Amino acid sequence: MAMDVEAARRVPPKQVIVRVRRYDPEAKRMWWQEYKIEAHRGMTVLDALLKIKEEQDHTLVLRYSCRQGICGSCGMTINGTPRLACQTQLTEVVSEANPVMTVEPLYNFPVIRDLMTDFMDFFNKHRSVKPYLIRKDKEEQESPKGQYDMYPDEYLQTYQYTNCIYCGLCYAACPVVAADPQFLGPQALMYALRFVNDVRDEGWGERFLIVDTEHGCHRCHFAASCSAVCPKAVDPAGAIQALRSKLFRYRLGLYKRRVSKVVGPPPEKGERIQLPPEATLLPGVDLKKLEEEPVVIKLPEE
Amino acid sequence: MTLAEGRRDPEELPNRPGFWRSSLNPWTVRTRDNPERVAFVLHRVTGFIILAFLLAHIIETDSPVWSQYFPYSGLSGWALWNHIMAIESGLAFRIGEFIVAGAVLFHAPNGVRLLLAEFFGVGVGRPGDPRPPYVPGTFRAAQRQWLYAVFVVWIVLWLIAGVIIFS
Ligand code: SF4
Ligand code: SF4
Ligand code: FES
């Protein structure tokens, strides 16, 4: 789900009611707790929860780290939608007419305490698809004698998937994960495709074996909710369909793709490879023009 | 550890959402811009309706045979068949027929879309360089248009089926 930039400019209602679903593992008790907070412009759901933790209730447990949508630890169910708390403006989920917001731990994950969920299974599933480069030549894999060549269009086959921040939102939204806890899940299957697509990798046979099970890619029913909630536009739903069609071709013996060659020795330690300036610039940026007229970034008026 | 190495048996997982949460998941999770999920739910529901109809249909068409061994309310053979036919010409069964027609008319075209997307990977777009406003490729690809077409075809054919059944 794309970030709503405009939401940061709107003003949330003065007082916001936050309903949190809490869980106490010692007493094995689940209950809803309500807090009232003073909201201000630009406040995110994470800010609101931290304000509660600071001023009202120190026992509220949540997990966060970067506060900027990069670490993927603050995923929670906000008003029924799995979202990153730090990337969700209060104005996106509450309004003057309805100043109540519900916050729950991520669905489909075991809850540790309050809003904190256990990602062990999620990460184990990620590991189970072998998320690393596999070369047939084990000697070459352990001590590489050069770099692997890769062209920009081949890079684009994997780039989008590498944006995944392991936040688990896709996993929480998926109706199939809910019904079948052993289902590998959108994130792991998407990562299998990320390496199947990578021209530097030769391990697709192994990966196809791993995902070609009852709990693998055949289980996905293309509800595409994973893509709808992913904060990084990784699009796991499309990835799983692509993976399945490739597996289909592989089983028919029709799957083929280029494997990159080893080119050139790696740079010596400390040696810098001189790149032409075009190679390091974004398209459309003119260095000469930049020197003449410096860039002025206009900030929005307060 | 009964599963593949490194994966835990979900039975061991504490405090995992149970049967009810799992069954309710398609309804409780709210996602924006996601008609595919609506289609997923409809595909399930219509699938069950079609299955139930098929089972009932087999029992019904086979009734002259099985009723010879297990007579139903004193009737057997073609007598029971005629009895069933008389019941089925009633309004309740016409409504049931209408519902089954609706289920088939959604399930079939949506199934074609799913076959194309899931087995041949067509209509789901290609991986690329995500750019603002970060709409996932699958939502910009052809399958979304197919899905809207499925909804339109479904409603139109269902209305026509309604006219045929009730007139
Ligand atoms: S597309 Fe597949 S993995 Fe993604 S939410 Fe739907 S069923 Fe789950
Ligand atoms: S695919 Fe998207 S939603 Fe899923 S873990 Fe990665 S970043 Fe999060
Ligand atoms: S705190 Fe890091 S993604 Fe939200």
Side-chain angles (χ1 to χ4, degrees):
Chain A
M1 185 183 302
M3 196 165 64
D4 186 352
V5 181
E6 277 304 306
R9 293 178 179 219
R10 297 198 295 267
V11 187
K14 266 242 147 50
Q15 196 181 51
V16 172
I17 299 165
V18 187
R19 295 188 71 219
V20 184
R21 199 180 87 181
R22 305 193 56 186
Y23 174 71
D24 177 1
E26 275 97 47
K28 293 212 182 311
R29 189 168 79 95
M30 197 280 286
W31 75 102
W32 286 92
Q33 194 155 346
E34 217 172 90
Y35 304 96
K36 286 194 181 76
I37 53 154
E38 301 279 305
H40 58 74
R41 188 154 76 148
M43 196 176 207
T44 64
V45 174
L46 183 66
D47 292 339
L49 291 172
L50 290 179
K51 197 176 154 95
I52 293 170
K53 199 169 161 62
E54 229 164 72
E55 296 170 2
Q56 298 180 31
D57 186 353
H58 309 310
T59 63
L60 181 66
V61 173
L62 63 138
R63 179 170 47 208
Y64 74 102
S65 178
C66 69
R67 295 171 285 111
Q68 51 183 337
I70 287 299
C71 70
S73 36
C74 66
M76 47 189 81
T77 311
I78 301 164
N79 275 3
T81 311
R83 310 180 72 147
L84 294 180
C86 66
Q87 246 188 26
T88 306
Q89 289 285 327
L90 278 186
T91 51
E92 286 176 66
V93 285
V94 292
S95 60
E96 286 297 347
N98 182 17
V100 186
M101 159 175 92
T102 63
V103 183
E104 292 168 79
L106 276 184
Y107 295 155
N108 300 345
F109 286 91
V111 182
I112 298 173
R113 185 185 279 273
D114 292 352
L115 298 172
M116 190 155 86
T117 43
D118 180 359
F119 269 55
M120 179 80 112
D121 210 43
F122 176 81
F123 287 136
N124 280 342
K125 284 173 179 169
H126 172 69
R127 270 181 217 119
S128 74
V129 301
K130 311 203 172 193
Y132 40 80
L133 289 182
I134 298 172
R135 295 292 287 194
K136 290 232 170 78
D137 185 352
K138 290 290 168 229
E139 173 67 27
E140 162 60 40
Q141 181 166 358
E142 292 312 318
S143 42
K145 290 179 263 319
Q147 312 165 41
Y148 302 128
D149 64 342
M150 192 181 203
Y151 293 95
D153 55 328
E154 293 166 342
Y155 174 62
L156 275 188
Q157 293 292 313
T158 64
Y159 170 64
Q160 175 185 322
Y161 307 130
T162 58
N163 282 343
C164 174
I165 56 172
Y166 315 104
C167 59
L169 300 192
C170 50
Y171 198 80
C174 176
V176 178
V177 175
D180 174 15
Q182 296 187 43
F183 175 47
L184 280 175
Q187 194 277 336
L189 291 171
M190 175 277 294
Y191 236 74
L193 182 77
R194 179 246 175 277
F195 280 97
V196 165
N197 273 358
D198 196 320
V199 285
R200 299 166 297 172
D201 181 87
E202 290 178 305
W204 63 79
E206 289 172 48
R207 284 198 194 88
F208 279 142
L209 266 187
I210 295 167
V211 299
D212 187 11
T213 67
E214 189 192 338
H215 304 292
C217 63
H218 303 302
R219 199 70 195 223
C220 163
H221 296 304
F222 196 26
S225 304
C226 46
S227 291
V229 298
C230 176
K232 297 287 157 190
V234 170
D235 195 8
I240 298 169
Q241 313 325 314
L243 178 68
R244 182 157 34 194
S245 65
K246 284 182 182 178
L247 170 61
F248 193 43
R249 261 179 282 152
Y250 174 75
R251 284 295 185 205
L252 294 175
L254 300 172
Y255 183 69
K256 270 205 299 284
R257 74 152 160 74
R258 190 181 90 84
V259 175
S260 64
K261 307 260 174 326
V262 181
V263 286
E268 289 288 311
K269 212 169 179 190
E271 180 196 357
R272 293 197 63 156
I273 300 178
Q274 281 301 322
L275 291 173
E278 317 88 74
T280 57
L281 277 180
L282 290 172
V285 179
D286 188 351
L287 260 193
K288 282 222 184 72
K289 222 169 157 194
L290 266 184
E291 260 164 35
E292 280 159 22
E293 22 176 311
V295 183
V296 182
I297 296 171
K298 273 210 196 105
L299 290 175
E301 305 256 326
E302 254 305 302
Chain B
M1 282 271 210
T2 50
L3 297 172
E5 197 192 342
R7 282 174 60 190
R8 282 199 296 176
D9 185 346
E11 298 306 317
E12 286 174 28
L13 295 180
N15 195 26
R16 204 182 178 285
F19 174 77
W20 284 112
R21 166 63 92 195
S22 319
S23 319
L24 287 173
N25 180 284
W27 286 271
T28 52
V29 171
R30 288 162 56 179
T31 47
R32 250 191 290 171
D33 186 23
N34 191 8
E36 289 86 358
R37 193 182 187 103
V38 178
F40 160 80
V41 172
L42 281 175
H43 204 76
R44 284 243 146 144
V45 172
T46 55
F48 277 116
I49 292 174
I50 293 168
L51 185 68
F53 166 74
L54 277 180
L55 291 177
H57 184 64
I58 290 169
I59 293 171
E60 171 220 48
T61 49
D62 202 33
S63 60
V65 178
W66 61 253
S67 59
Q68 292 169 16
Y69 308 102
F70 310 101
Y72 178 75
S73 58
L75 294 166
S76 70
W78 291 107
L80 177 65
W81 172 261
N82 290 334
H83 178 67
I84 292 177
M85 286 301 118
I87 298 174
E88 285 186 1
S89 53
L91 181 65
F93 275 84
R94 287 208 177 180
I95 292 172
E97 218 173 17
F98 181 59
I99 292 172
V100 171
V104 173
L105 292 174
F106 177 79
H107 205 83
N110 191 48
V112 174
R113 164 183 155 265
L114 289 178
L115 275 179
L116 286 172
E118 295 189 351
F119 283 99
F120 303 103
V122 289
V124 291
R126 293 176 174 282
D129 184 7
R131 285 175 196 287
Y134 302 113
V135 179
T138 310
F139 292 178
R140 281 181 274 116
Q143 65 85 19
R144 182 56 79 81
Q145 271 78 52
W146 299 344
L147 180 55
Y148 291 142
V150 165
F151 282 133
V152 171
V153 166
W154 174 42
I155 295 299
V156 169
L157 289 184
W158 199 7
L159 286 179
I160 296 173
V163 171
I164 295 171
I165 290 170
F166 290 111
S167 63

